[in-house]
Amino acid sequence: MSENRRQSILDIARKVGVVTVDELISRFDVTPQTIRKDLNRLCDERLLTRTHGGARLASSVENMSYEARRMLASDQKQAIGKAVAGIIPDNASLFVNIGTTTEAVAQALLQHQRLLVITNNINVASLMRPYPQNKVIIASGEVRSSDGGVIGESAVDFIKQFKVDFAVIGTSSIDADGALLDYDYREVKVSQAILSNARHVILVADSSKHERSAPVRIGHISQAHSFVTDHCPNAAFRTLLESFDVQVIETDAQGTNDVRSRQEAGGSATFD
């Protein structure tokens, strides 16, 4: 029974990304002590990682499902999107890559005027298509069925045709040394092309990305000009960002739409 229950807990985590003690108590009709024991066992086996009130999938080679990623830290992603929309003016050209946080940025840009948006994310293209004041160009290549990402060499070659004002880049994981990591090397090649062909790179990632691991290197935080997040994890990472003169904007979104911005180096940035 215990083994079956732990396998079920792991299956749920793979599907939705995060499980909570309260939800598992209700689902399996067992005591809190039993669930905590199960979670401790799964964490000891490095299948899950403990979070406040529960646990999340700990895989470093397999990403969570698209729906799980979309729901995870959704308030923080919305606030990040609004903060990025405050950076990007009308009449600008920009890349938007694959990711649920970059999709939140696209949502926040819908009322901008005369944008040229180049993306390898079908969800971004579908979201922005009904707004004729902006032009959307989608990359060619293989469409990944799991999340609508366009990947592969064709997409890389397509991206290299452009030189744009801004790139909005997401990442699956941020290492303590500033490495930006993802799961699919084909997606990473497109992201690297985007990084190389934008005048101003905006990295968007909520703080949970510091707790995850992924096997494929996109690049390094030093390649970003701005980093928009809910909050930085620690003083050491702030110091790292300062050493590379990366502008930091923290939304501190905890279920609110208030945006607090701060630049750790090179001046200040404020938003209404």
Side-chain angles (χ1 to χ4, degrees):
M1 288 290 292
S2 297
E3 187 65 31
N4 290 340
R5 188 175 56 250
R6 285 194 292 271
Q7 183 59 54
S8 296
I9 292 171
L10 186 58
D11 290 341
I12 295 167
R14 284 174 174 152
K15 182 177 180 180
V16 302
V18 176
V19 293
T20 68
V21 171
D22 290 343
E23 289 171 348
L24 296 175
I25 291 169
S26 177
R27 174 182 282 266
F28 295 106
D29 193 24
V30 293
T31 65
Q33 291 81 3
T34 297
I35 290 299
R36 292 191 182 99
K37 183 177 179 180
D38 287 337
L39 293 180
N40 287 335
R41 175 74 175 271
L42 290 166
C43 290
D44 288 343
E45 294 172 352
R46 298 187 178 181
L47 297 171
L48 297 180
T49 298
R50 287 304 298 262
T51 63
H52 180 69
R56 61 175 176 80
L57 193 64
S59 174
S60 63
V61 296
E62 179 185 7
N63 204 356
M64 290 183 286
S65 71
Y66 171 77
E67 280 303 313
R69 285 181 280 139
R70 189 175 62 82
M71 292 185 291
L72 190 64
S74 60
D75 289 340
Q76 288 86 341
K77 290 172 183 176
Q78 289 179 25
I80 288 168
K82 291 179 180 180
V84 175
I87 298 173
I88 297 173
D90 292 338
N91 299 292
S93 58
L94 62 148
F95 291 128
V96 180
N97 82 334
I98 302 169
T100 55
T101 309
T102 58
E103 289 170 22
V105 174
Q107 178 71 50
L109 289 172
L110 293 180
Q111 300 307 316
H112 275 50
Q113 300 292 317
R114 296 174 297 280
L115 295 178
L116 173 62
V117 180
I118 301 143
T119 184
N120 65 322
N121 187 333
I122 282 181
N123 301 316
V124 167
S126 297
L127 182 65
M128 302 194 79
R129 179 194 58 78
Y131 295 81
Q133 71 270 26
N134 298 314
K135 182 181 292 186
V136 181
I137 301 175
I138 190 163
S140 60
E142 176 188 347
V143 179
R144 192 167 57 192
S145 60
S146 61
D147 60 4
V150 181
I151 54 178
E153 291 298 329
S154 295
V156 173
D157 292 340
F158 183 87
I159 293 296
K160 288 180 178 178
Q161 297 179 82
F162 299 91
K163 185 75 174 184
V164 301
D165 300 319
F166 297 93
V168 180
I169 290 283
T171 184
S172 293
S173 171
I174 304 176
D175 221 18
D177 66 358
L180 309 178
L181 305 168
D182 224 310
Y183 294 91
D184 189 335
Y185 73 92
R186 299 166 300 171
E187 175 185 346
V188 162
K189 286 186 176 181
V190 182
S191 296
Q192 290 170 342
I194 288 173
L195 284 171
S196 299
N197 289 281
R199 298 179 181 91
H200 187 113
V201 175
I202 304 172
L203 175 68
V204 294
D206 68 85
S207 55
S208 71
K209 301 301 174 64
H210 298 275
E211 302 169 358
R212 301 180 66 192
S213 182
V216 188
R217 184 184 179 97
I218 300 172
H220 192 268
I221 191 72
S222 60
Q223 294 173 267
H225 300 88
S226 300
F227 175 40
V228 185
T229 185
D230 52 330
H231 67 269
C232 286
N234 52 55
F237 197 76
R238 292 179 186 276
T239 300
L240 182 69
L241 292 166
E242 184 175 356
S243 70
F244 293 115
D245 204 25
V246 177
Q247 180 190 32
V248 181
I249 300 169
E250 295 179 272
T251 65
D252 282 338
Q254 301 295 334
T256 73
N257 290 324
D258 295 334
V259 174
R260 180 174 65 86
S261 67
R262 174 168 53 177
Q263 182 171 348
E264 293 293 329
S268 62
T270 58
F271 299 91
D272 295 333

